Amino acid sequence: MAVAEVVKYNGSPDVFAWKYPSEELGTWTQLVVNESQEAVLVKSGKVLDAFGSGRHTLDTANIPILNNIINLPFGGRSPFTAEVWFINKGYNLDVKWGTPTPIQIQDPKYGIFAPVRSNGAFGIHISDAKKFLIKLVTTMPTFDTATITKYFRSLYVTKVKDAISTYLVHKQISILEINAYIDELSKHMKERIRPVMDDYGIELVSFYVNEISVPEDDTAVKKLKDALSKRAEMNIIGYSYQQERSFDTLEGAAKNTGSTAAPLMGAGMGLGMGLGMGRGVGRSFSNITHEIQINNNEESTKECPNCHSRISNMQRFCGNCGFDTEKKPEAKKEQSLMCSACGSAIEKNTKFCPECGRKINHCPNCGNDIGDDTTRCDICGYEKPQQCPNCGAEISAKSKFCPECGHVLVKFCPKCNSPIEGESKFCPECGEKL
C-alpha cells in the first residue's frame, strides 16, 4: 500500500478549499502548509486537527487523537486513510457578482415599473477553516470563486432588491437618480450580508455596487426619459405643457385658410376654459384669432403705431387699444435731466450730482437719473430689469415667467386663473379673495 511521504498544495490560486488527491497517509508523512493557508485533517467525516503554515510531521505526538484511530504497527510506521484539506485564508477582493435577470421595481417618483440590473464585486477572507469546511465545502473536491458566487447568488440578489427598493421609497427618488447613492448602498448591503457569511466561517471584507442600470430599449424607461427631456426643454424656454398644446392648436387653425373667425374664436375660448387657463387665455385666443382673420382677408392691413396690432387699412381707430392712427404725432419736447434727490440739473455724462454729491443712476434709454427707491424712469418710462428670486437671472420687469428656470413671477387667481399684479387682496376679474 502506497503511503504519501510529502503532502502539499497543488491547486489554483483562486481556489478557497482544495482536497489532496490521495487519502493514503501514514505517521511520519510530511505536511507542507504555505503562508496564508491552513490544512485540515479529516478522518471518517470527522475533523481531527488543523495545521498552520510550515512543515508538519504526522505522528501521534502531533495528533493525539490518532492513538484512538491507528493501532497497527508497521515497523515503526502506521498507515491510515484520511483526507487533507488545504484552506486558502488569503484575501480575495475581486469576487464578481451581478443580477442574472432584471429586477422589476416600481419608481416611487413617477409610478412606472422598470427592470433594474446591478453588478459589482466583493472581497472575502476565510476566518474559520473548520466551520467553512464543515458547513459549506462538505464533499466537494474544490471550492473556488465561481462556487462562492453561485452559492450566495440568491442572498445578494435578494439584498440588492431590498436595498434599492428601500432607498427609492424612503428617499422618494427616481430609478434614474439611484446611481447617486451607490456608495451608501454598498455600505448598507455589506452590513446586511456580512452576518450571513459569518455563519459559514467567511468574513466579508468589502462589498461594492459598481452600477445600477435600466435597459435603454425598455418602453417605460424610454417614455420617462422623453418626458423628462421635454419638461427640461419647456422649463428653459419658459412655458407649460398646456400652453404648448394651445400653440399647436392655433398653429393648425392658422394653416386652415378656409376657416372663419367666429367658429375659431369659439373653439379657442372653449379650449382655453377646458385647459383651466380662464379668461386670460380666452382673450389671448380671441386676439390671435382676430389677427388670423385679418391676415386671411384680401384687403390690405396696417400696423397700429401704439400697440403694433395688425388692423384693416380702412380703420382709423385701433380695435385693440383705441389709438387714432390718423392723428399726427406731436413733436416731443426734450426734457431737462435732473437729479432725483435734489432736482438739480445734470448732464448725460455726469456721474455725481454737483449739488448733493449723490451718485447718478443714468437711464440707459434717455439718460435721466433713476431714483434709488424706484424702478421706473420718470421721462421715458424705462423700467429697471429685475432678478428672478429662484435662479437670480436678470429679466424684464414685465416678465411673467423666468426665461432661464421657468419660475412663475406673477400670481394667478385660484378661481379664474387671471393674473394678479402687486399685492392685491381681491381678484380684479372675479372678485375672489386672495
Side-chain angles (χ1 to χ4, degrees):
M1 177 175 59
V3 178
E5 298 293 339
V6 178
V7 176
K8 64 180 181 178
Y9 179 76
N10 296 318
S12 173
D14 64 342
V15 172
F16 293 103
W18 179 79
K19 186 177 75 170
Y20 186 73
S22 176
E23 298 181 7
E24 302 297 330
L25 306 175
T27 54
W28 301 353
T29 296
Q30 300 297 302
L31 177 62
V32 180
V33 183
N34 297 327
E35 290 287 345
S36 74
Q37 285 185 344
E38 190 172 352
V40 179
L41 196 64
V42 179
K43 173 67 176 177
S44 300
K46 183 177 181 181
V47 175
L48 300 183
D49 208 347
F51 301 87
S53 61
R55 179 182 289 269
H56 308 274
T57 301
L58 300 182
D59 57 25
T60 55
N62 271 344
I63 315 173
I65 198 171
L66 287 179
N67 286 328
N68 301 325
I69 299 175
I70 305 168
N71 53 17
L72 296 176
F74 287 84
R77 297 189 59 183
S78 298
F80 62 96
T81 303
E83 300 175 2
V84 179
W85 284 91
F86 289 90
I87 307 300
N88 183 1
K89 302 192 74 173
Y91 287 82
N92 192 324
L93 304 179
D94 194 29
V95 182
K96 305 293 185 183
W97 67 268
T99 52
T101 57
I103 305 170
Q104 290 292 332
I105 295 180
Q106 185 178 17
D107 191 311
K109 193 171 183 179
Y110 301 107
I112 68 168
F113 283 90
V116 177
R117 288 184 180 273
S118 184
N119 62 75
F122 59 88
I124 60 174
H125 160 64
I126 308 302
S127 57
D128 191 328
K130 291 183 179 180
K131 185 187 292 185
F132 173 70
L133 186 63
I134 295 171
K135 285 192 172 184
L136 207 60
V137 180
T138 62
T139 60
M140 299 177 61
T142 59
F143 199 95
D144 55 11
T145 55
T147 312
I148 283 278
T149 306
K150 177 183 177 182
Y151 269 41
F152 291 100
R153 178 175 298 165
S154 60
L155 172 66
Y156 62 71
V157 168
T158 302
K159 298 301 181 183
V160 165
K161 182 177 181 180
D162 177 65
I164 294 177
S165 301
T166 300
Y167 266 75
L168 292 176
V169 173
H170 288 180
K171 295 184 178 293
Q172 287 298 302
I173 58 176
S174 171
I175 294 174
L176 303 180
E177 303 168 355
I178 191 65
N179 278 302
Y181 299 87
I182 280 184
D183 188 51
E184 295 181 25
L185 281 170
S186 299
K187 295 178 182 178
H188 175 75
M189 292 172 62
K190 178 184 175 182
E191 297 302 320
R192 300 292 298 275
I193 297 175
R194 178 161 50 187
V196 180
M197 287 193 167
D198 285 343
D199 291 340
Y200 295 94
I202 303 174
E203 177 189 357
L204 183 64
V205 180
S206 60
F207 191 95
Y208 298 106
V209 180
N210 292 341
E211 182 186 21
I212 300 174
S213 60
V214 291
E216 294 293 335
D217 56 349
D218 184 74
T219 305
V221 176
K222 289 174 65 176
K223 288 183 178 179
L224 176 58
K225 288 186 176 181
D226 291 342
L228 292 176
S229 176
K230 189 66 175 178
R231 186 178 71 175
E233 178 186 350
M234 289 190 291
N235 287 340
I236 293 173
I237 297 175
Y239 61 88
S240 64
Y241 176 77
Q242 289 86 350
Q243 290 172 321
E244 182 192 28
R245 296 296 301 158
S246 303
F247 299 153
D248 293 341
T249 302
L250 288 174
E251 182 180 1
K255 294 178 180 179
N256 185 7
T257 56
S259 61
T260 59
L264 182 57
M265 185 184 300
M269 289 292 288
L271 182 60
M273 294 299 290
L275 291 175
M277 300 176 71
R279 297 180 182 177
V281 176
R283 285 194 297 270
S284 300
F285 281 142
S286 178
N287 294 337
I288 297 174
T289 305
H290 182 62
E291 293 181 13
I292 294 173
Q293 181 191 21
I294 294 176
N295 290 333
N296 290 333
N297 201 333
E298 293 182 357
E299 58 186 16
S300 59
T301 60
K302 61 182 178 182
E303 184 181 276
C304 173
N306 185 40
C307 66
H308 305 290
S309 299
R310 300 298 303 180
I311 59 177
S312 172
N313 204 19
M314 304 296 294
Q315 291 181 234
R316 176 176 176 177
F317 296 93
C318 175
N320 188 43
C321 65
F323 182 77
D324 186 355
T325 60
E326 296 183 5
K327 183 179 179 181
K328 294 183 180 180
E330 297 180 359
K332 293 183 178 180
K333 298 181 180 179
E334 293 187 0
Q335 299 186 25
S336 59
L337 307 182
M338 63 180 62
C339 173
S340 61
C342 64
S344 301
I346 59 174
E347 301 294 335
K348 285 189 176 182
N349 57 354
T350 302
K351 294 183 178 180
F352 295 90
C353 177
E355 294 293 331
C356 64
R358 175 183 167 277
K359 185 177 179 180
I360 304 300
N361 298 319
H362 286 286
C363 171
N365 189 28
C366 66
N368 187 41
D369 178 33
I370 301 177
D372 296 330
D373 56 349
T374 182
T375 60
R376 186 182 181 89
C377 177
D378 295 334
I379 295 180
C380 65
Y382 170 80
E383 292 187 358
K384 292 181 181 178
Q386 60 179 344
Q387 282 190 335
C388 173
N390 185 40
C391 67
E394 193 173 86
I395 55 179
S396 172
K398 297 183 178 180
S399 299
K400 296 181 179 180
F401 298 87
C402 175
E404 292 294 329
C405 66
H407 181 73
V408 179
L409 304 173
V410 179
K411 296 188 298 182
F412 292 88
C413 174
K415 183 177 182 181
C416 67
N417 208 35
S418 299
I420 308 298
E421 296 183 0
E423 299 297 326
S424 301
K425 296 183 178 180
F426 295 89
C427 175
E429 291 292 333
C430 64
E432 177 74 6
K433 185 176 181 180
L434 304 178

